[in-house]
Amino acid sequence: MTERSDTLNNQAIILASDGAYTEAIACFKRAIIIDKENYLLWYNLGVTYRDAGSLIDAENALETAYRMAPEKEDVSEAYATICLMQKKLSRVQQICMEALDFNPLNPHMWNLLGVSEFQSENFEEASSYFEQAVSINPYYLDALYNLRDTYSVLENKKGEAACEARLKELDK
């Protein structure tokens, strides 16, 4: 019986969800041998490497998926997040800006841009990115927390209080 990439992908996802990362990774690699131009296989491999704690392998797999399908928001978000975890802030900014070219209304990309600017201590720029994320999705809690914290660093008491009020309102 011939192995199929979609069957191996499904099997690998089940293995990964059970925490059997080594076996899942082996399945994804076999699937990629069969269908090496399938971005989804590379993406799933990258996410599995991430979950297994191997950030460099995750970055490499996600970079491959991103090269194949830069318009896929889940791919660009996962790739940017992996780069952020490794403090590759200029790469995060590049990925996010490219992703926003495809969809300027993606609040996650604006939030990731804000986080990278916050980590670079560019607090004014960070606040503008977080504000953009919150304006697109007023219920995006991560962006609201990030905006509140950025306002705190900037000593913008009025903005900080507005974020705090919004967070309390959403907590109801």
Side-chain angles (χ1 to χ4, degrees), residues 84-97:
L84 186 66
M85 293 168 75
Q86 298 177 87
K87 307 291 187 218
K88 296 180 178 182
L89 303 181
S90 62
R91 187 67 182 129
V92 172
Q93 293 166 356
Q94 180 184 3
I95 296 163
C96 289
M97 289 302 204

Side-chain angles (χ1 to χ4, degrees), residues 101-113:
D101 284 342
F102 288 106
N103 180 8
L105 297 177
N106 182 325
H108 299 280
M109 289 297 129
W110 289 108
N111 186 60
L112 282 168
L113 271 173

Side-chain angles (χ1 to χ4, degrees), residues 127 131 143-168:
S127 70
E131 288 165 355
L144 271 168
Y145 282 115
N146 291 336
L147 182 57
R148 180 199 61 193
D149 294 347
T150 305
Y151 283 157
S152 176
V153 170
L154 292 170
E155 298 181 7
N156 177 346
K157 300 297 181 198
K158 189 175 181 181
E160 186 179 359
C163 288
E164 196 60 49
R166 181 78 177 133
L167 287 164
K168 285 180 182 167

Side-chain angles (χ1 to χ4, degrees), residues 71-133:
E71 75 284 358
K72 300 293 185 181
E73 293 180 8
D74 51 349
V75 172
S76 55
E77 185 176 344
Y79 182 34
T81 301
I82 286 294
C83 291
L84 186 66
M85 293 168 75
Q86 298 177 87
K87 307 291 187 218
K88 296 180 178 182
L89 303 181
S90 62
R91 187 67 182 129
V92 172
Q93 293 166 356
Q94 180 184 3
I95 296 163
C96 289
M97 289 302 204
E98 290 171 3
L100 289 167
D101 284 342
F102 288 106
N103 180 8
L105 297 177
N106 182 325
H108 299 280
M109 289 297 129
W110 289 108
N111 186 60
L112 282 168
L113 271 173
V115 172
S116 70
E117 291 295 345
F118 189 93
Q119 289 185 4
S120 297
E121 298 184 3
N122 299 325
F123 302 116
E124 290 288 343
E125 195 70 23
S127 70
S128 71
Y129 290 142
F130 294 137
E131 288 165 355
Q132 186 67 29

Side-chain angles (χ1 to χ4, degrees), residues 18-31:
D18 289 339
Y21 300 121
T22 303
E23 295 84 353
I25 289 165
C27 277
F28 285 128
K29 286 181 174 181
R30 284 200 326 265

